[in-house]
Amino acid sequence: MKKKSEETGTEFCYFPNCRTLKDIRSKQITYADGISSLLMNKELDTTDINYFLHNGEVDFGNSETKAGPCKTYFIEGLVKDKEATLKVKNCSEKAIIESISY
């Protein structure tokens, strides 16, 4: 099964963490002003954000999964060898990267 998924580029997500990250990645990604500033000042880059959206761990305990119209997720990961948490607002049409904290 793993070999077949690698050949076709298909990803099988069974666990909540994987499904949540995959859902966020499938949408148009936009950045809040604070994140845009960090990107412009090269304190953060899109590869760091991409890492969170592929390899991060969603903190479901602190996330607001029942909120509407957008759910808020806190995704933990590493940025330049420092532990960080990315706050993402996941709406039906787009995902907004709101903030990062170290």
Side-chain angles (χ1 to χ4, degrees):
M1 186 92 133
K2 183 178 179 183
K3 184 175 191 268
K4 188 170 200 124
S5 68
E6 288 173 357
E7 289 172 0
T8 61
T10 305
E11 183 179 7
F12 296 100
C13 284
Y14 297 109
F15 295 108
N17 192 75
C18 183
R19 287 195 322 257
T20 300
L21 295 176
K22 185 177 180 181
D23 180 57
I24 293 169
R25 287 193 312 267
S26 72
K27 298 175 181 169
Q28 175 189 353
I29 304 288
T30 59
Y31 305 107
D33 291 340
I35 295 292
S36 293
S37 296
L38 292 173
L39 291 169
M40 288 177 63
N41 295 333
K42 302 204 186 304
E43 296 173 47
L44 186 68
D45 63 38
T46 54
T47 354
D48 296 326
I49 293 171
N50 217 11
Y51 176 83
F52 274 94
L53 299 181
H54 280 87
N55 304 304
E57 289 293 322
V58 179
D59 182 353
F60 287 102
N62 288 323
S63 297
E64 299 166 8
T65 59
K66 305 278 188 231
C70 303
K71 299 175 182 178
T72 302
Y73 292 101
F74 293 92
I75 305 169
E76 299 171 344
L78 291 175
V79 174
K80 297 171 183 54
D81 296 326
K82 290 192 291 189
E83 289 185 20
T85 302
L86 195 68
K87 180 180 178 184
V88 180
K89 195 162 278 234
N90 189 17
C91 305
S92 60
E93 299 294 319
K94 65 180 178 179
I96 305 161
I97 310 298
E98 289 204 321
S99 64
I100 188 166
S101 57
Y102 298 94

